[in-house]
Amino acid sequence: MCGIVGYIGREDAAPILLKGLKKLEYRGYDSAGIAILGAGGLTVRKSRGGIKNLEEKIEAELANGTLAASIGIGHTRWATHGEPSDINAHPHTDLSGNIAVVHNGIIENYARLKAWLQKHGVVFRSETDTEAVAHLIDLHYNGDLLQAVMESLIRLEGSYALAVVSRDDPDRIIAVRKESPLVIGKGDGENFIASDVPALLEYTRDVYYLLDREIAVLYRDKVEFYDGDGRRIEKNIAHVDWDAGAAEKDGYEHFMIKEINEQPKALTSALRARIQADAGQDAQGGVPVKAVNLEEIGFDSSWAQANRVVITACGTAWHAAVIGKYAFERYSRISADVDIASEYRYRNPICNPQDIFIIISQSGETADTLAAMRMAKESGSRVIAITNVVGSTLAREADLVMYTWAGPEIAVASTKAFTTQLMCLYLIALQFGVLRGVLSGDELAKSIKALEEVSGQAEKILKDKETIQRFAARHFTKSKVFFMGRLFDYAVSLESALKLKEISYTHSEAFAAGELKHGPIALVDESTLVVAICTQTVLFEKMDSNIKEVKARGASTLVITYDDVNYFDQSADEIFRIPRLPDGLSPMLSIIPCQLYAYYCAVQRGLDPDKPRNLAKSVTVE
Ligand code: F6R
C-alpha cells in the first residue's frame, strides 16, 4: 500500500512532493514524510496522520525557505510493520543521515536482515522493514549510490518500489521496483516518480513504466534505465491521455460520489468500439445485425475452445467475478469457476492448459491477484486480464488485456471500476456464446441492445439519487443491514454489503436469500434493515416470501426492483425502482442505489467516504 513520489528539476521540490502525495493519499494516509536535498544537505520531515498534518508541521519552514531544494522524495503510508507514528513514517535514513529511502511494499526477509545489520553495529530507530533498506544501502555505499542500491537489491526479498537519495550524490534519484507499482514521469528539465499516474498528470503525460527489478536513475535532464542485472537498457515512453481533471474532484464533495456519477460515461467507454454495428443482415434481410467485436483485444475463436473459465480476483473485483460466472453459464453454456485470489494461491487447484483464466483487478497491482495469475500461467492456461490501469503489472503479464476504460478511480471504495468490469465480462461471455454456437441471434440482439441502453439507464437512476439520500437519512443509524438476493442479485448483495461496511462502518452482511432460514434469520430483529434485490422475474415469488419472513421478525425492508414491477408493493416497506434490463444484465444498474446508500450513510455518520479507516486503495502486499 503506501504511495511514493520523487522530483528532480529546477523548481522547489517540497510543494511538488506534497501535491503528489495528496494525489496518492488514497493509497495510505496514516503518516507522511519528505526528504529533500538542499543547501543544508539532506533534510527529512515526517508526521503521523494525513498529508495535512505534515503540511502544517512544515508550514513555517516552507514559508521561510528553509526547505528550499530542487530534489526530493516523499511517502504517504499505510502501516504494515510498526504502528503509525512519526518515527515509523518514511523516509528512513541510515545512521549518519546521508541516505534517505521511501518504500512501498514489504521486505519479507527483514527480520533476518535486521539481525545481520545489528551484528554490524546498526541501531534501529523504527519498527519498519524499510529502515533496513537504508542501512543496507549505507553498508554497500562506496562512493557510488547506484552501485550501492544494486548490491543491496540482491539481498532484498519481497516486494518494493523504492526511491533513494543521498547527500553525497545530490543530483540524482535512484528508483527501482519489484511487484509494487512505480511510474517515471518525463518532463522538460525535470523528472518525476510516483506510485500512480494521477500524481504526475499536472506535470507530464509522458511516462515510463518500470518492469520488475528495473532501475531508473533520474537526473534533471535525462532518465537512465538498467535491467535487474545492471545492464543499461532503453525504454519506450508511453503517453497518458487522461485529462488532469479526471483525477480531480471537479466540484464534487468526494471522489466516491464523483465516481458513482461517472458511471454512465464509464459504461459507454467500456462498451465503445466493442460493438460492430453492421455485422450482417437479419434473416428477413434489410435490418443490420450487430455483433460483439473483441478483435481489438485479440480475442479470436481459439479462445472459445476452452473447457472451462476460471475467474479470479479480490474484493469488489471478486464480486464482479461471481457475476461473471453466472454470465458465462447463462450466455456461453461453459463451466465457470470463481475464486478469491488469496484463497486460490494457497490451494492446490486442478487446472489444465485448456482452461481460460479471467483475472480482474482495477489497479492491476493487487498482490494476491497477480500471484493467482502467475499460477494460472505456470499451469499452461491462457489469461485474459480485465483492468483499469494501462501499463499495470496485470496488463503487462496477461495474454490478453481488456481495459475497463473507467478513468482513474481514486476513492478507496470501488464503484465505476465494478460496473465497467461487469460490462467487460458480459461482452466476453456473449462473444464466447456466439463462438461456441450456443447463443441465439435473438438473445444476442436483445443483450447488445440492453448493453447499449445501460448508460442512459444509469443516468436515470443517478437523477433520482435524492430518494436514496433521504432513505439513508432515515436509516443510517441502523446497527445491522442485510442485503439479500439470489444468483445475480446475491452477487450484487455481496458488493452492496461490502460498500456499506467499508465506508460507513455499519455491520452489514449479504445472504443468498434461500439461505436465510438456514441460520441468518436468527439475527433479524427490529434493529435490522434488509435490502432485498429483486431483478430476476422467475425468482420474484421466492424473494417475496423471504421479504415477508424478515418483516415478520421486525426488520425494515427496502426492495430494489424494476420500474414496471408491482410484485412487492404489499410486502416491502419501501421500493426503489430501476429501469428494466434483461434479468441477467441488471447488476450494472441494481448496484448503483446500493453504492449511493453506502455513500450517503457514511456522510450522514460524519465520515469521509474517500478515506475509510484501515483501508487503502491498492493492496500491493499480502
Ligand atoms: C472495495 C475495494 C476492494 C478492491 C480490492 C481489489 O471497494 O475497492 O475490495 O476491489 O482490493 O482491488 P483491485 O481491483 O485493484 O485488484
Side-chain angles (χ1 to χ4, degrees):
M1 318 272 211
C2 310
I4 69 176
V5 291
Y7 173 78
I8 177 164
R10 293 182 173 85
E11 302 296 320
D12 201 7
I16 294 174
L17 297 173
L18 290 169
K19 254 194 198 171
L21 289 178
K22 280 188 199 154
K23 295 276 161 44
L24 297 179
E25 215 174 0
Y26 67 88
R27 303 177 65 86
Y29 31 82
D30 59 37
S31 53
I34 57 169
I36 47 140
L37 280 172
L42 181 68
T43 308
V44 176
R45 293 289 181 268
K46 42 196 196 173
S47 165
R48 191 199 151 113
I51 319 294
K52 226 166 135 264
N53 287 15
L54 175 65
E55 247 175 353
E56 277 165 21
K57 190 168 180 173
I58 61 175
E59 201 180 350
E61 288 180 292
L62 283 174
N64 68 23
T66 322
L67 295 180
S70 57
I71 167 170
I73 54 179
H75 188 271
T76 181
R77 178 167 187 248
W78 186 86
T80 53
H81 291 71
E83 57 165 16
S85 66
D86 285 9
I87 291 272
N88 288 334
H90 298 213
H92 290 283
T93 59
D94 66 317
L95 289 178
S96 62
N98 268 339
I99 293 168
V101 174
V102 290
H103 168 221
N104 169 31
I106 289 188
I107 305 301
E108 281 162 10
N109 60 335
Y110 129 87
R112 265 182 287 132
L113 273 179
K114 182 172 179 175
W116 182 81
L117 286 160
Q118 281 168 330
K119 270 196 214 142
H120 283 75
V122 171
V123 180
F124 276 73
R125 293 150 298 185
S126 76
E127 302 156 285
T128 65
D129 51 342
T130 307
E131 191 183 339
V133 182
H135 296 307
L136 196 62
I137 296 172
D138 175 49
L139 227 72
H140 286 286
Y141 187 74
N142 228 337
D144 182 344
L145 184 64
L146 176 60
Q147 194 59 32
V149 170
M150 284 179 175
E151 284 169 21
S152 304
L153 291 178
I154 298 168
R155 304 193 65 138
L156 295 187
E157 291 168 21
S159 58
Y160 47 79
L162 291 166
V164 187
V165 290
S166 166
R167 179 160 57 193
D168 298 331
D169 204 337
D171 291 308
R172 56 181 183 167
I173 302 175
I174 316 286
V176 58
R177 64 153 285 188
K178 179 181 160 252
E179 294 165 20
S180 290
L182 197 61
V183 195
I184 312 296
K186 187 184 170 314
D188 186 10
E190 55 185 2
N191 291 303
F192 307 80
I193 60 171
S195 297
D196 199 357
V197 168
L200 305 176
L201 285 179
E202 191 178 330
Y203 309 101
T204 180
R205 305 299 167 85
D206 292 330
V207 301
Y208 300 98
Y209 295 108
L210 283 189
L211 300 183
D212 269 0
R213 295 178 194 278
E214 284 181 350
I215 299 173
V217 184
L218 286 80
Y219 300 86
R220 286 183 176 80
D221 294 310
K222 61 177 180 178
V223 186
E224 289 173 353
F225 297 98
Y226 297 82
D227 68 13
D229 297 321
R231 284 184 295 253
R232 271 292 293 277
I233 52 168
E234 295 301 321
K235 286 189 73 73
N236 291 332
I237 256 185
H239 188 75
V240 179
D241 50 16
W242 292 348
D243 69 293
E248 303 292 341
K249 280 192 213 152
D250 256 354
Y252 285 95
E253 201 179 340
H254 299 104
F255 278 113
M256 185 177 175
I257 191 68
K258 175 183 178 239
E259 289 161 9
I260 289 174
N261 276 289
E262 282 172 346
Q263 287 179 110
K265 187 167 156 237
L267 284 162
T268 302
S269 304
L271 183 67
R272 191 187 300 135
R274 290 168 178 166
I275 299 293
Q276 188 183 344
D278 53 352
Q281 294 188 336
D282 70 353
Q284 284 73 48
V287 183
V289 171
K290 293 187 178 179
V292 175
N293 184 348
L294 299 183
E295 269 168 29
E296 157 236 3
I297 66 162
F299 185 90
D300 58 31
S301 56
S302 71
W303 288 83
Q305 312 300 318
N307 290 334
R308 183 174 70 130
V309 174
V310 184
I311 318 176
T312 307
C314 293
T316 288
W318 177 70
H319 298 151
V322 176
I323 293 167
K325 169 187 162 70
Y326 298 141
F328 275 94
E329 286 171 354
R330 172 172 294 201
Y331 301 110
S332 358
R333 299 302 301 142
I334 188 167
S335 163
D337 286 337
V338 60
D339 259 292
I340 295 172
S342 55
E343 293 280 295
Y344 183 81
R345 65 183 294 192
Y346 294 111
R347 287 209 271 119
N348 192 5
I350 299 161
C351 42
N352 67 62
Q354 264 65 53
D355 294 335
I356 282 177
F357 276 71
I358 299 183
I359 311 277
I360 311 173
S361 171
Q362 188 284 130
S363 61
E365 300 292 349
T366 299
D368 286 320
T369 307
L370 293 177
M373 173 195 60
R374 289 171 185 146
M375 276 173 71
K377 289 196 81 170
E378 270 161 32
S379 73
S381 303
R382 292 196 291 170
V383 170
I384 302 175
I386 296 181
T387 184
N388 195 34
V389 179
V390 176
S392 59
T393 305
L394 178 61
R396 286 199 308 266
E397 294 188 20
D399 296 296
L400 293 190
V401 186
M402 188 161 186
Y403 286 111
T404 45
W405 299 130
E409 192 181 67
I410 309 289
V412 168
S414 193
T415 53
K416 61 178 179 172
F418 176 72
T419 40
T420 53
Q421 284 161 0
L422 294 183
M423 180 64 90
C424 292
L425 284 163
Y426 285 124
L427 286 166
I428 303 175
L430 289 171
Q431 187 65 347
F432 247 88
V434 170
L435 294 173
R436 290 166 64 82
V438 297
L439 191 70
S440 73
D442 263 9
E443 185 154 22
L444 177 66
K446 204 171 90 186
S447 304
I448 289 179
K449 183 167 177 285
L451 293 185
E452 290 182 323
E453 284 170 3
V454 158
S455 165
Q457 293 172 325
E459 196 118 40
K460 247 183 170 173
I461 295 175
L462 289 165
K463 282 205 177 108
D464 197 14
K465 54 179 171 291
E466 280 76 22
T467 304
I468 296 290
Q469 190 172 13
R470 282 194 296 273
F471 185 79
R474 288 197 298 280
H475 291 283
F476 75 96
T477 53
K478 283 273 181 323
S479 57
K480 284 181 282 183
V481 179
F482 299 151
F483 293 84
M484 66 175 180
R486 291 165 187 253
L487 302 177
F488 288 96
D489 294 330
Y490 169 51
V492 173
S493 300
L494 288 167
E495 172 59 6
S496 305
L498 175 65
K499 282 294 86 91
L500 187 61
K501 73 178 77 153
E502 69 179 331
I503 58 166
S504 79
Y505 317 147
T506 309
H507 183 109
S508 56
E509 298 282 346
F511 301 116
E515 280 292 290
L516 205 60
K517 289 201 262 312
H518 298 283
I521 201 161
L523 288 170
V524 175
D525 59 22
E526 290 76 11
S527 69
T528 318
L529 169 67
V530 176
V531 180
I533 303 173
C534 306
T535 69
Q536 292 156 104
T537 317
V538 291
L539 296 169
F540 280 176
E541 191 184 334
K542 301 280 171 213
M543 288 303 298
D544 201 46
S545 306
N546 295 133
I547 294 161
K548 286 174 179 147
E549 282 155 13
V550 294
K551 265 198 83 172
R553 271 86 189 167
S556 314
T557 55
L558 169 69
V559 166
I560 294 174
T561 191
Y562 296 126
D563 50 13
D564 57 357
V565 168
N566 296 103
Y567 205 99
F568 306 100
D569 288 3
Q570 303 308 315
S571 50
D573 293 327
E574 294 183 69
I575 299 183
F576 186 83
R577 297 177 195 279
I578 60 170
R580 182 174 275 281
L581 270 181
D583 290 358
L585 302 175
S586 58
M588 285 182 286
L589 296 183
S590 56
I591 189 59
I592 297 175
C594 301
Q595 295 168 340
L596 288 167
Y597 180 68
Y599 173 78
Y600 287 121
C601 281
V603 171
Q604 285 285 349
R605 288 179 168 223
L607 301 167
D608 180 348
D610 285 347
K611 291 187 196 143
R613 69 183 176 208
N614 306 336
L615 292 175
K617 180 86 182 146
S618 308
V619 187
T620 53
V621 294
E622 261 197 79

